[in-house]
Amino acid sequence: MSTQVYEQEVQHKRDELAIQYLPAVKAMAFRLKERLPSSIDYCDLYAIGTEELIKLARRYDESVNDSFWGYAKKRVYGAMLDYLRSLDVLSRASRQLIKQIEKATEEYMTEHDDEPSDEELAEMLGESVEKIHDARVASSIYTVMPIDDHLQMGDEGATLKKIEQDELVEVIKKVLGTLKEREQLIIQLYYFEELTLKEISEILGITESRISQIHKSVIKKIKESIGA
């Protein structure tokens, strides 16, 4: 067998490997889309994941990794998250507005059972409804990111650069250990089980708005613990 024919067969085998796991990528993209606003297209996530899967299959060495999907899963998901980051929805101005929205929402929810509408927030903050809507969409996209990304938001990034990864993990563990059981469960279900706010709401019997508020409160506690 010539070298060219052998290489073609290897290439064909690796492409077949990628095709085999396309349904898994489709399910991953769909699951991520469920946690995102309607402005994000499922097809874009699927295309990004598929492209990464093919790249990984073509350089996969089964003598190094005996499970292709075990090797590829995290990288495919990471490519989808990188795509969301590339949208650059969080400009410095929108970050400031998001902080104002979060504070106003927290104050509003002390008197009401639900989050304020875009119109109510616009009136409270003296901003246009369109700006409020765009900032909330940006915030909801960012919510699906790993905790590390949340800690990079705003000026806290400078503080994080001084902290070793192991130290950060310990800080997160310590903060989670101080939370009530329900708060710990929310973080567990959202970040590790990757459930949607709606699914968590149905499990715990509390509103999505309340879950969102608890999530933001936990991130705030972690930031305070690292001196951000």
Side-chain angles (χ1 to χ4, degrees), residues 12 45 50 76 146 174 187 195 208:
H12 179 66
L45 294 171
T50 299
V76 169
K174 185 177 179 181
I187 297 300
L195 298 188
E208 292 181 45

Side-chain angles (χ1 to χ4, degrees), residues 118-141:
D118 290 350
E119 290 75 15
E120 287 168 325
L121 280 169
E123 186 175 343
M124 292 164 67
L125 299 175
E127 294 283 357
S128 69
V129 175
E130 184 180 1
K131 271 191 175 182
I132 295 294
H133 174 74
D134 290 346
R136 293 182 96 175
V137 168
S139 181
S140 62
I141 292 174

Side-chain angles (χ1 to χ4, degrees), residues 141-202:
I141 292 174
Y142 215 70
T143 300
V144 305
M145 296 299 177
I147 289 180
D148 286 19
D149 284 72
H150 288 276
L151 300 180
Q152 294 282 2
M153 182 177 166
D155 297 331
E156 295 86 1
T159 303
L160 278 180
K161 288 178 182 176
K162 301 175 184 177
I163 297 178
E164 295 293 334
Q165 184 66 26
D166 290 345
E167 184 183 348
L168 177 59
V169 170
E170 288 305 312
V171 168
I172 293 173
K173 285 182 179 178
K174 185 177 179 181
V175 171
L176 294 181
T178 66
L179 303 178
K180 295 177 182 178
E181 185 177 345
R182 187 173 67 173
E183 294 174 330
Q184 290 186 25
L185 184 56
I186 287 171
I187 297 300
Q188 172 72 23
L189 292 174
Y190 194 82
Y191 282 107
F192 300 101
E193 302 300 328
E194 297 180 358
L195 298 188
T196 64
L197 295 182
K198 182 179 180 181
E199 289 168 332
I200 298 172
S201 174
E202 291 172 352

